[in-house]
Amino acid sequence: MVKKSGMHAIADALRRDAVGGFLLITAAAIALIWANSPAAGLYESIRGFEVGPGALHLNLSIGTWAADGLLAIFFFIVGAELKQEFVHGELRNPRRAMLPIIAAIGGMIVPALIYVAFNATRPETLGGWGIPMATDIAFALAILAVVGRHLPTALRTFLLTLAIVDDLGAIMVIAIFYTDKLNFFALLGALLLLGLFAYLQQGRGIAAALDRSSFPMLIIYVPLAFVIWTFMHESGVHATIAGVAMGLLMRTSVHKGESDSPLHRVEHALRPWSSALALPIFALMSAGVVFSGMGSMITNTVALGIIFGLVGGKLLGIFGGAWLTTKLTRAELNPTLKWIDICGMSILGGIGFTVSLLISELAFPAGTVLDHAKGGVLIASLLATLISAGILMRRSAHYRRHGVPDIAGEPVSKG
């Protein structure tokens, strides 16, 4: 057996979800403490510091680079994982793929309706209906990895699919209802370049020559990916969608002369960077919510609508949508899962954070209402984390003792 070097051992450790999740949660905790400490001014100065080429409209704040740029790496990996599941894994079965997709739609509609119910008599605050729709996929997957080491892998796939659909829905809501100007030419440019990206993946003509080279990743794909990201950012659509799209377009088949597919090679190379750099910096720059006016949130309809929407609405929408789908259609729950697992994961979907905070800033001007909205997102995310962690930890302990059942329903030890 060949002994791995120290760097290889670190990279392998960073590919584990639990390690990446721990780093993400630690960075978020540091951000919360820092933003509410006497050094809060320094935190805001760093987060607001602008850097980048202004000629390309990329003179962005550090916080924006973290949320739109670095997070695109994570979303690329998520898109690649989802592609693998659709082609070779759990989601090849349409009856199972349908379940998280419909659950995601329910998990967007019900929270929005709950928010509207709380603010029906306040037209000035109704614009925040989109805030509780979004699930923060990075934090949700991190929590699941930390508290659910022995849970069936099908639950992570369910959450991954649900969160991607949720994020795509939230981005569409932002583009349609919360974006003043959409640059269709930039969006068309991004779509055309994504088409080129997909063509190069197929291994025909020039693409075949690229496949035989060891350099295309650096000299072709990296610049192309950056240009696609730039066009997507300029279009007004959330730039992380570019990462998801490229991940979904990666080739999963293995051509002659290849030991692995491009998807596997790139995902394997990028995952340590995502866990050690992209996600922690994103959390550090995004999770610094200031606790202000917490006492008044108890009776504030904006905060209450967000809290009940994210915690209760996600549970009702996701769990209820999935359960009804199995009763009314041919969709089915993976045999390794129980409905109590879906219940815990549905509450986990109440972690709003990044996209919810983004919609808050788009919905309300700076002031008390915005502070209440952000406070509501923070409280809801903490509650969702604690409640879901309690359920999922118990389920993880159950599977650790009894094993995960296989598709025939018999328990199989996880070792």
Side-chain angles (χ1 to χ4, degrees):
M1 181 179 293
V2 179
K3 187 175 181 180
K4 292 184 177 181
S5 67
M7 291 302 296
H8 280 91
I10 293 173
D12 285 345
L14 289 170
R15 291 187 181 98
R16 294 165 52 193
D17 282 345
V19 174
F22 176 78
L23 292 175
L24 178 70
I25 295 167
T26 300
I30 292 172
L32 282 171
I33 296 170
W34 192 358
N36 291 277
S37 73
L42 176 61
Y43 176 80
E44 290 299 332
S45 297
I46 294 174
R47 185 160 65 172
F49 183 78
E50 294 186 350
V51 62
L56 298 177
H57 297 170
L58 293 178
N59 188 28
L60 309 175
S61 68
I62 297 294
T64 302
W65 276 114
D68 288 7
L70 286 178
L71 200 59
I73 299 173
F74 168 75
F75 272 89
F76 175 90
I77 293 173
V78 168
E81 282 192 62
L82 203 56
K83 173 69 173 288
Q84 184 73 16
E85 290 294 333
F86 273 117
V87 176
H88 301 293
E90 164 76 8
L91 300 178
R92 284 185 304 169
N93 184 342
R95 291 163 64 179
R96 292 182 187 167
M98 184 193 309
L99 208 59
I101 293 173
I102 296 179
I105 295 172
M108 291 185 285
I109 294 174
V110 176
L113 292 176
I114 289 176
Y115 179 90
V116 169
F118 271 93
N119 292 272
T121 59
R122 298 184 63 195
E124 71 276 13
T125 62
L126 275 176
W129 60 270
I131 298 171
M133 293 179 66
T135 293
D136 193 305
I137 183 174
F139 279 95
L141 287 174
I143 297 298
L144 184 66
V146 171
V147 305
R149 292 179 57 195
H150 301 281
L151 291 169
T153 55
L155 189 65
R156 185 183 186 278
T157 301
F158 194 110
L159 176 62
L160 188 70
T161 309
L162 179 144
I164 283 290
V165 174
D166 182 288
D167 269 354
L168 291 174
I171 297 306
M172 288 177 62
V173 166
I174 291 173
I176 297 171
F177 298 101
Y178 293 98
T179 300
D180 294 331
K181 186 177 180 182
L182 190 65
N183 188 331
F184 289 99
F185 290 104
L187 182 58
L188 178 61
L191 294 175
L192 290 174
L193 289 173
L194 283 170
L196 174 62
F197 184 91
Y199 170 78
L200 292 175
Q201 287 290 307
Q202 300 310 308
R204 301 186 183 95
I206 186 174
L210 287 173
D211 275 342
R212 292 190 291 269
S213 170
S214 59
F215 297 105
M217 181 54 60
L218 293 177
I219 65 171
I220 299 294
Y221 288 118
V222 170
L224 178 60
F226 179 76
V227 175
I228 291 171
W229 178 90
T230 301
F231 270 96
M232 192 68 75
H233 181 272
E234 181 66 14
S235 74
V237 177
H238 204 271
T240 51
I241 294 299
V244 176
M246 285 184 279
L248 288 170
L249 291 172
M250 290 296 292
R251 174 165 57 85
T252 61
S253 59
V254 179
H255 286 181
K256 185 177 179 180
E258 294 179 329
S259 57
D260 290 305
S261 68
L263 182 147
H264 182 269
R265 293 199 303 269
V266 176
E267 189 269 345
H268 187 79
L270 285 181
R271 186 175 287 274
W273 293 101
S274 174
S275 296
L277 183 68
L279 286 179
I281 293 177
F282 150 73
L284 188 65
M285 292 294 102
S286 300
V289 179
V290 179
F291 290 92
S292 62
M294 298 299 288
S296 61
M297 288 185 193
I298 304 300
T299 57
N300 182 266
T301 58
V302 171
L304 290 175
I306 292 170
I307 293 169
F308 280 92
L310 278 172
V311 181
K314 286 291 183 180
L315 172 61
L316 290 174
I318 295 172
F319 182 88
W323 186 82
L324 283 174
T325 301
T326 61
K327 300 301 179 184
L328 301 176
T329 71
R330 298 183 64 188
E332 60 184 24
L333 184 66
N334 186 291
T336 64
L337 298 175
K338 302 296 182 183
W339 283 110
I340 185 63
D341 302 327
I342 301 300
C343 177
M345 188 224 50
S346 299
I347 300 172
L348 187 64
I351 300 176
F353 250 111
T354 313
V355 179
S356 293
L357 292 174
L358 172 62
I359 297 177
S360 298
E361 293 181 347
L362 296 173
F364 303 119
T368 304
V369 176
L370 179 58
D371 290 341
H372 284 155
K374 288 186 173 183
V377 171
L378 180 61
I379 293 172
S381 299
L382 291 174
L383 286 174
T385 298
L386 294 174
I387 297 170
S388 63
I391 296 173
L392 295 174
M393 286 176 70
R394 289 178 64 87
R395 295 301 297 163
S396 182
H398 169 82
Y399 286 116
R400 179 173 54 83
R401 292 192 302 268
H402 301 289
V404 178
D406 64 10
I407 58 173
E410 298 296 328
V412 177
S413 173
K414 296 186 81 169

